[in-house]
Amino acid sequence: MMTLDLAERTHGGKIRNLSGKEAGELAREHFNLDELDDAEGPITVLVPKEVYNLSPSFFCGMFGASYAKLGEGKLLSHYQFKSVPEFISKQVHFGVKLCSETYN
């Protein structure tokens, strides 16, 4: 099973607030999501425990093109946010909502 670790985007834990569409787009490039959208099987997305914010704009920058390609249901079954705190789950939900408003 493949894993994306957002710790790679925190500069060694210095960044605890993942925000901004541009930062999300850079993360998309970093993880090569254009190719991973077509990969077999689910991909686990890890959010480091020190991250307190995963903003909707960051989420949409990172996963917006995936949303447009896969749709909401397939996006969240393909990229699975496992073992994240409830507040991060809510932020992912708001990110999906922003994508739905942006790409529908």
Side-chain angles (χ1 to χ4, degrees), residues 29-94:
E29 282 179 39
H30 174 81
F31 291 113
N32 204 9
L33 293 194
D34 288 334
E35 284 187 26
L36 292 183
D37 286 347
D38 299 322
E40 285 293 314
I43 297 168
T44 299
V45 180
L46 301 176
V47 180
K49 65 181 180 309
E50 56 273 353
V51 168
Y52 65 83
N53 185 39
L54 181 70
S55 78
S57 59
F58 179 90
F59 181 93
C60 216
M62 185 168 177
F63 293 104
S66 303
Y67 179 95
K69 183 177 190 177
L70 303 173
E72 181 175 335
K74 193 162 182 209
L75 172 72
L76 293 177
S77 64
H78 190 63
Y79 294 105
Q80 297 179 356
F81 288 78
K82 291 188 173 175
S83 303
V84 297
E86 180 65 25
F87 70 94
I88 294 288
S89 292
K90 286 181 179 171
Q91 292 168 352
V92 167
H93 171 77
F94 289 128

